[in-house]
Amino acid sequence: MEGGAVVARARAALGVPFRLHGRDGAGLDCVGLAAHALRLEAPSGYPLRGGEPALVRARLDALLHPVEGPPVAGDLLMMRTGPGQLYLGIWTGAGLVHADAGLRRVAERPGAPPWPVLGCWRR
């Protein structure tokens, strides 16, 4: 899948409400948004906080191609937004589409992510 199609699918979700374990137009979380944009099956049953980066990395490595170096449009980024909190977003080439719990909706943020990037994957 081309990166532009991934970005278009992520942007199509802009404004969808945030909902933990959300998987459709009624609500999405960061995992649901990533699954929607990348056309993947999304796991469920995970907590809002927590998660072992190595386990998440292994799961993503099995589904997507790990990327070294700078991301390109359509890449999936895994970030650490706080202690014990992992977060996923779709890089647009100029910003990040993500399910923002604080804004209570899927939003697009311009510029580099404000959180440490732990990994990058490409479809």
Side-chain angles (χ1 to χ4, degrees), residues 5 7 11 18 30 63 78 86 101 114-115 118:
V7 171
R11 283 182 170 152
F18 174 87
C30 69
L63 298 171
M78 179 174 70
L86 302 177
W115 312 288
L118 304 179

Side-chain angles (χ1 to χ4, degrees), residues 2 9 14 19 32 34 40 49 63 65 77 95 105 109 111-112 114-115:
E2 179 185 296
R9 287 182 61 78
L14 291 173
R19 189 180 76 200
L40 297 171
R49 285 186 171 43
L63 298 171
H65 302 287
L77 302 182
R105 62 181 168 80
R109 170 186 210 101
W115 312 288

Side-chain angles (χ1 to χ4, degrees), residues 7-116:
V7 171
R9 287 182 61 78
R11 283 182 170 152
L14 291 173
V16 169
F18 174 87
R19 189 180 76 200
L20 183 60
H21 299 156
R23 299 293 181 263
D24 56 36
L28 293 168
D29 64 6
C30 69
V31 175
L33 174 65
H36 168 76
L38 293 161
R39 295 186 176 187
L40 297 171
E41 181 87 17
S44 62
Y46 49 85
L48 181 60
R49 285 186 171 43
E52 176 57 44
L55 296 176
V56 175
R57 182 182 311 278
R59 188 167 201 166
L60 291 171
D61 285 353
L63 298 171
L64 301 166
H65 302 287
V67 175
E68 296 295 326
V72 300
D75 284 355
L76 175 68
L77 302 182
M78 179 174 70
M79 299 154 283
R80 181 180 305 284
T81 57
Q85 187 166 5
L86 302 177
Y87 193 58
L88 302 175
I90 302 295
W91 180 247
T92 68
L96 187 71
V97 176
H98 62 113
D100 191 311
L103 292 176
R104 307 294 305 153
R105 62 181 168 80
V106 175
E108 186 167 354
R109 170 186 210 101
W115 312 288

